Amino acid sequence: MSSPLQRAAGGAKRVLSASSSSSASLPFDDRDSNHTSEGNSDSLLADEGSDFEDSLNHNVKKRAAKRPPKTTPVAKHPKKGSRVVHGHNRKQSEPPANDLFSAVKAAKSDMQDSGDYPLTAPGPSWKKFQGSFCEFVRTLVCQCQYSLLYDGFPMDNLISLLTGLSDSQVRAFRHTSTLAAMKLMTSLVRVALQLSLHQDNNQRQYEAERNKGPGQRAPERLESLLEKRKELQEHQEEIEGMMNALFRGVFVHRYRDVLPEIRAICIEEIGCWMQSYSTSFLTDSYLKYIGWTLHDKHREVRLKCLKALKGLYGNRDLTARLELFTSRFKDRMVSMVMDKEYDVAVEAVRLLILILKNMEGVLTDADCESIYPVVYASNRGLACAAGEFLYWKLFYPECEIRTIGGRERRQSPGAQRTFFQLLLSFFVESELHDHAAYLVDSLWDCAGAQLKDWESLTSLLLEKDQNLGDVQESTLIEILVSSARQASEGHPPVGRVTGRKGLTSKERKTQADDRVKLTEHLIPLLPQLLAKFSADAEKVTPLLRLLSSFDLHIYCTGRLEKHLELFLQQLQEVVMKHAEPAVLEAGAHALYLLCNPEFTFFSRADFARSQLVDLLTDRFQQELEELLQSSFLDEDEVYNLAATLKRLSAFYNAHDLTRWELYEPCCQLLQKAVDTGEVPHQVILPALTLVYFSILWTLTHISKSDASQRQLSSLRDRMVAFCELCQSCLSDVDTEIQEQAFVLLSDLLLIFSPQMIVGGRDFLRPLVFFPEATLQSELASFLMDHVFIQLGDLGSGDSQEDHLQIERLHQRRRLLAGFCKLLLYGVLEMDAASDVFKHYNKFYNDYGDIIKETLTRARQIDRSHCSRILLLSLKQLYTELLQDHGPQGLNELPAFIEMRDLARRFALSFGPQQLQNRDLVVMLHKEGIKFSLSELPPAGSSDQPPNLAFLELLSEFSPRLFHQDKQLLLSYLEKCLQQVSQAPGRPWGPVTTYCHSLSPVENTADNSPQVLPSSKRRRVEGPAKHNRADGSSSQEESLKLNSIPPTPTLTSTAVKSRQPLWGLEEMEEEDGSELDFAQGQPVAGTQRSRFLGPQYFQTPRNPSGPGLGNQLMRLSLMEEDEEEELEIQDESSEERQDTDMQASSYSSPSECGLDLLDSTELDVEDF
């Protein structure tokens, strides 16, 4: 079957063949004076070549020689809009209108059916079509600019055709003709520009010839120049007339077309006209269209507007004509910096940069201040564009103008100092952000050379008589570290992504050179900087991190070992002076970088490490003995012991300190804390971390080689003992100790889970540890007490309390994530997940993403078990509510309404795979019915069972059921209710609600947009309905999903084809627009395939055989099944609107009870 595009192309070929055949029948006898096609035939024969100008000259000479009295030359054709009549040959010169009309009509029909046309069709061949099509229009005008362009007939008819098609309701015609018309207009603008240049040249030649003396002046030359001027003016008038017709007939109507692609084409082309032919188009009457379209709601159109304006503002000669436009639309251009589309915002900033450069004084301080905060945007492209704007506004006038007269490319030291002072003042005074690394990254592309002037930075920091404050010094150090990291690594700060996969070879070479320069300059100065700022933890921490940006081999190759010794000395002083975690972590990491066995100075670094750890270990042993021997310690002794433990813990994290044997003394300390409770919590926290790292380093040694059974047993004993200590700490009074113990215990249980033997490490099987039930319950209790707690709402986010509350939220999220990992990796029983899932709706804003991911992973592990856990969560919540408030009025409480919302969210988590989840949902309903009737009221009492309100929660899962499953569940519920005494005439509300959710008539046609109107449907009441109910009563006593209904009886094709006809007629009556019609086709297609399926013509077994009564019953059943199926779809569409199409693909075969293993019943379309 041919595609609509191929059929349209075939129609065009037939038109061309018809037109060529008709043109071949024209007479070409140039000796016949009655035929006026002599000039045309000669021009046609001559136009077979590619040079139209030579053919025109040839025809002019030929006509000048012959000058037939009754022939109209080509150059003397009437102007546009007129029609030439050539006697009795008029019909032969006109195109075959009937064939063209037929081709257009056929193409319109094909494109309406398919919705695809060359400009939007997928595929590589169609991707090139637009470029080739635009090139064709340009070449056509270029080749015709000396002959046929000024012939009134072809261009006027082409413009009329494009104008008419651009107003078509068919999108394909409108889009294609608008593109052709705009490209034609652009080509005509180029021709008009050339004509204006020719006119200028002609005017200069005429003035030069006229200014000659009387003896040198040539009258024939002046006459030819005058004739040439007249001819050029006529051509200019004709071109301007064509452009005016295209602009008013196409552009004025299509620049606000409903299709954004058409609007983008118009704006892009008018920008080209303004740049190439500014004398005619760069006026306010044309600029207003771009200004109006700046407010367009589509990204592509706004982008084209900004790019068009960039071409105008980028030319300083054109900015004088843009003053009125700028004053009118400047606010809009400034506001587009905050556009929701990043690429549009980037173009807006770059446009404002051009305005800043070429139009002085236009952007006010208020306009610039609205752009400055964008330098801290998360999108790097936008931040870099704003950084360039900041550079040209603040830094360039002060730092660059002073060096314009000099020949050296390198700036003077004074200019560099001015640059950093301005940078400091902007960062500190603006108070827009707390981290200067984002400002450095934003300025890196435009001011990278200034930021890499580390000599100026370090000289500012090491000056004795500097006038920098504490905040300015910290900011300058952060700028130094950020620029060094950016130069050596090339990575943006956290939260910004470049989107590039890698660096080019040139960029890698530049990065390596910068790293060498940085290292050679900072290695001698880093000890001096550490010595000056060693007392300030905020300043010394980033300085220690500078070492990660160095090329450490230069310590050896550059003979700089003495500076290494100085650095190690300063590092030891900093570590012994501070106890802050950030400083200790930076110092431990710096020493780790130096203690690489590949370096020749490894022995020196290792000796310095051993010396430092020996000093810390000796202090720890002395302080520990004092603590164990005395029952009381003053604050200084507690602080010293805690600081020593913190230093050892930080270095134990990065270095292997196993040979110092810190496990036993730390365990003694923790055991005393558990037994007596006299150990301060400042000491317990780092001691727990030390024991944890000791176990991990021991495991690392054992994993590298085959360990003996004694080593494995010793490690397991240590791990079990530590778990018992952490379990005891979970009940400690101090919250920090509880949380630290929980985190360490979660990580340790995860490491020693069954996952540790994966990957050929089966020899570690003796180390696998499963927590006991008491430990699991304590972990779950800790989670309930410390994670799922209600806190107050956050304020503006600026106060200290808000920051603390946010930090606490992050800590609780880490605790929950650790517990969920234990569930998913099988360390804890999966049933414990009910304690997490039951808080899904209540704490959705805080932990919704974590709980959702846990639920998804749990369903991937075991779908059936996960469904039972969801039901268990609802049971637990219902039981807690029942114990607190009793059974009376339970379903009216706010907590019960929240439970219904949770049940609805659980139902949505099953997704659109209705067929795959069929058995799970039915099982969930069955277990829920059992729970609701598990506790019966006393005998003779009319009270409802206490758990009966649980049926209202189950009703939220009813939309996930198939129709036949609903009938089976209704019968099962009725069977269960027979065991319960119920007062006559007083139905229980939960039972009514649940039965209503299982009823097929729950959703009416008025509530669902997908159900056909009730006036279009028939309900034929007959005995077939009762027969079907009787026939299915035997099936409703069981909930087995493998039961297959009777094989459906196929009806005649006349009954099948009746439904989609009136469905399509109604759809066309409701919406006749081209856009909605195109969108409505797939819906009609799905309705057709759904209605024509043989499964909708099921009838009960009738021994009387086929007949008129059977046909009526089939018709009745067919319409009832259609109505029920549509109502079921409405019910499910209310729960998940975004997955209707996927769900309907599962609902069609299975709702009617098809055998899903029988391929003959699945291939419905083959019938």
Side-chain angles (χ1 to χ4, degrees), residues 133-145 149-150 155 179-195 239 242-243 246 269 272-273 276-277 281:
F133 182 69
C134 299
E135 180 65 21
F136 165 74
V137 176
R138 189 194 67 80
T139 306
L140 175 65
V141 176
C142 181
Q143 295 294 330
C144 297
Q145 61 180 329
L149 189 60
Y150 308 106
M155 292 305 298
L179 176 62
M182 294 297 98
K183 292 298 180 181
L184 179 63
M185 178 79 169
T186 303
S187 301
L188 292 177
V189 168
R190 294 193 185 99
V191 174
L193 182 60
Q194 292 179 3
L195 287 175
I239 293 296
M242 296 177 193
M243 293 190 299
L246 284 172
E269 296 305 319
C272 295
W273 308 339
S276 59
Y277 199 15
F281 287 97

Side-chain angles (χ1 to χ4, degrees), residues 199-301:
Q199 287 180 348
D200 295 339
N201 293 335
N202 179 269
Q203 182 65 25
R204 287 195 299 268
Q205 293 174 2
Y206 179 79
E207 294 293 338
E209 189 67 26
R210 192 179 61 175
N211 293 333
K212 292 182 180 179
Q216 299 177 352
R217 185 182 305 169
E220 297 81 3
R221 175 68 174 170
L222 291 175
E223 183 179 357
S224 63
L225 289 175
L226 288 175
E227 292 180 358
K228 184 67 175 177
R229 179 195 298 179
K230 184 178 180 181
E231 181 182 1
L232 291 174
Q233 289 177 352
E234 291 178 357
H235 290 173
Q236 186 76 18
E237 291 176 359
E238 292 188 12
I239 293 296
E240 290 179 355
M242 296 177 193
M243 293 190 299
N244 188 41
L246 284 172
F247 184 82
R248 295 184 178 276
V250 180
F251 179 88
V252 173
H253 302 286
R254 299 278 70 81
Y255 87 97
R256 52 185 179 180
D257 192 275
V258 68
L259 193 65
E261 289 84 355
I262 296 179
R263 301 199 299 271
I265 290 172
C266 295
I267 297 302
E268 182 180 11
E269 296 305 319
I270 195 176
C272 295
W273 308 339
M274 293 177 180
Q275 294 181 45
S276 59
Y277 199 15
S278 59
T279 56
S280 296
F281 287 97
L282 192 56
T283 59
D284 295 328
S285 58
Y286 291 100
L287 284 169
K288 64 183 180 182
Y289 296 106
I290 297 181
W292 292 340
T293 321
L294 286 172
H295 298 270
D296 197 278
K297 62 181 180 180
H298 283 84
R299 159 192 164 276
E300 187 64 26
V301 183

Side-chain angles (χ1 to χ4, degrees), residues 373-390:
V374 186
V375 297
Y376 301 106
S378 59
N379 183 270
R380 190 176 189 275
L382 179 59
C384 291
E388 185 179 357
F389 180 88
L390 176 67

Side-chain angles (χ1 to χ4, degrees), residues 597-746:
E598 297 180 356
F599 297 142
T600 57
F601 54 83
F602 167 71
S603 58
R604 298 184 181 182
D606 185 59
F607 177 75
R609 177 177 60 182
S610 301
Q611 187 178 7
L612 176 61
V613 177
D614 288 339
L615 179 61
L616 293 175
T617 305
D618 293 341
R619 284 192 179 185
F620 172 61
Q621 296 289 348
Q622 296 175 3
E623 294 166 353
L624 180 63
E625 290 180 1
E626 296 178 1
L627 177 64
L628 295 177
Q629 293 177 1
S630 62
S631 59
F632 176 76
L633 293 177
D634 56 9
E635 294 182 358
D636 294 337
E637 294 175 344
V638 171
Y639 174 79
N640 293 332
L641 179 58
T644 303
L645 287 173
K646 288 179 181 179
R647 296 182 184 113
L648 287 172
S649 176
F651 277 84
Y652 215 159
N653 187 14
H655 303 269
D656 184 11
L657 307 183
T658 306
R659 59 192 176 99
W660 278 274
E661 297 179 355
L662 297 173
Y663 176 81
E664 292 297 337
C666 289
C667 284
Q668 294 179 7
L669 180 63
L670 292 175
Q671 192 63 43
K672 180 179 180 180
V674 172
D675 296 340
T676 63
E678 298 177 356
V679 180
H681 72 279
Q682 301 96 325
V683 178
I684 297 176
L685 291 175
L688 285 171
T689 310
L690 270 173
V691 177
Y692 172 75
F693 287 136
S694 175
I695 294 174
L696 294 187
W697 278 109
T698 306
L699 177 62
T700 303
H701 290 299
I702 293 177
S703 302
K704 292 180 180 179
S705 60
D706 295 337
S708 62
Q709 191 67 26
R710 184 178 62 83
Q711 291 176 333
L712 294 175
S713 177
S714 175
L715 178 59
R716 180 179 176 83
D717 294 340
R718 288 188 175 187
M719 185 266 300
V720 173
F722 181 68
C723 288
E724 293 176 355
L725 286 175
C726 291
Q727 185 177 357
S728 302
C729 292
L730 290 177
S731 57
D732 196 273
V733 179
D734 190 78
T735 305
E736 293 184 5
I737 296 178
Q738 293 179 352
E739 293 180 354
Q740 182 73 2
F742 182 86
V743 171
L744 297 179
L745 190 58
S746 302

Side-chain angles (χ1 to χ4, degrees), residues 898-1123:
E898 292 182 0
M899 291 172 57
R900 292 200 63 166
D901 295 337
L902 177 63
R904 186 179 299 110
R905 197 176 291 277
F906 283 165
L908 291 174
S909 67
F910 282 96
Q913 292 80 15
Q914 192 173 5
L915 183 62
Q916 298 178 5
N917 298 320
R918 180 182 182 184
D919 54 343
L920 305 179
V921 179
V922 173
M923 179 271 298
L924 189 145
H925 277 268
K926 184 178 178 181
E927 296 295 330
I929 292 174
K930 290 181 181 179
F931 173 76
S932 63
L933 301 176
S934 58
E935 298 182 12
L936 301 179
S941 174
S942 61
D943 295 336
Q944 66 180 24
N947 296 337
L948 193 64
F950 191 79
L951 292 176
E952 296 191 17
L953 304 180
L954 286 182
S955 63
E956 300 295 338
F957 296 88
S958 298
R960 302 293 169 178
L961 291 169
F962 288 108
H963 172 57
Q964 56 268 36
D965 297 336
K966 292 182 179 181
Q967 298 296 328
L968 297 177
L969 286 171
L970 280 174
S971 62
Y972 179 78
L973 177 64
E974 182 179 359
K975 181 180 177 181
C976 295
L977 287 175
Q978 291 176 358
Q979 305 175 3
V980 183
S981 60
Q982 182 176 356
R986 294 179 57 191
W988 290 325
V991 176
T992 304
T993 302
Y994 183 63
C995 292
H996 182 64
S997 68
L998 298 178
S999 176
V1001 295
E1002 178 186 358
N1003 294 331
T1004 60
D1006 296 334
N1007 295 332
S1008 176
Q1010 295 183 359
V1011 179
L1012 299 175
S1014 58
S1015 60
K1016 295 289 183 179
R1017 295 190 310 225
R1018 296 182 303 166
R1019 292 192 58 89
V1020 181
E1021 299 290 340
K1025 184 174 182 179
H1026 304 285
N1027 293 337
R1028 181 178 59 178
D1030 297 336
S1032 61
S1033 60
S1034 60
Q1035 299 177 4
E1036 294 175 351
E1037 296 179 359
S1038 175
L1039 285 174
K1040 295 181 179 181
L1041 297 179
N1042 55 2
S1043 60
I1044 304 174
T1047 304
T1049 304
L1050 298 179
T1051 59
S1052 63
T1053 56
V1055 178
K1056 293 182 183 181
S1057 60
R1058 183 178 305 168
Q1059 180 67 30
L1061 290 178
W1062 57 261
L1064 289 176
E1065 289 175 359
E1066 181 187 359
M1067 181 180 61
E1068 292 178 355
E1069 290 173 1
E1070 290 179 355
D1071 196 350
S1073 63
E1074 178 265 333
L1075 179 61
D1076 294 337
F1077 179 79
Q1079 295 177 352
Q1081 291 296 328
V1083 178
T1086 54
Q1087 290 177 354
R1088 185 185 296 112
S1089 62
R1090 187 188 305 133
F1091 294 156
L1092 292 181
Q1095 62 269 25
Y1096 283 90
F1097 306 101
Q1098 299 181 20
T1099 58
R1101 302 282 185 179
N1102 191 353
S1104 62
L1108 180 60
N1110 289 336
Q1111 293 179 1
L1112 291 176
M1113 286 188 293
R1114 291 194 195 110
L1115 184 60
S1116 173
L1117 289 174
M1118 177 191 69
E1119 294 173 347
E1120 290 173 0
D1121 287 343
E1122 291 167 0
E1123 183 176 353

Side-chain angles (χ1 to χ4, degrees), residues 44-64:
L44 288 173
L45 293 175
D47 287 346
E48 293 179 356
S50 61
D51 194 349
F52 278 65
E53 186 175 6
D54 295 339
S55 64
L56 178 62
N57 297 332
H58 174 72
N59 292 334
V60 171
K61 294 179 181 178
K62 192 171 182 180
R63 287 195 300 270

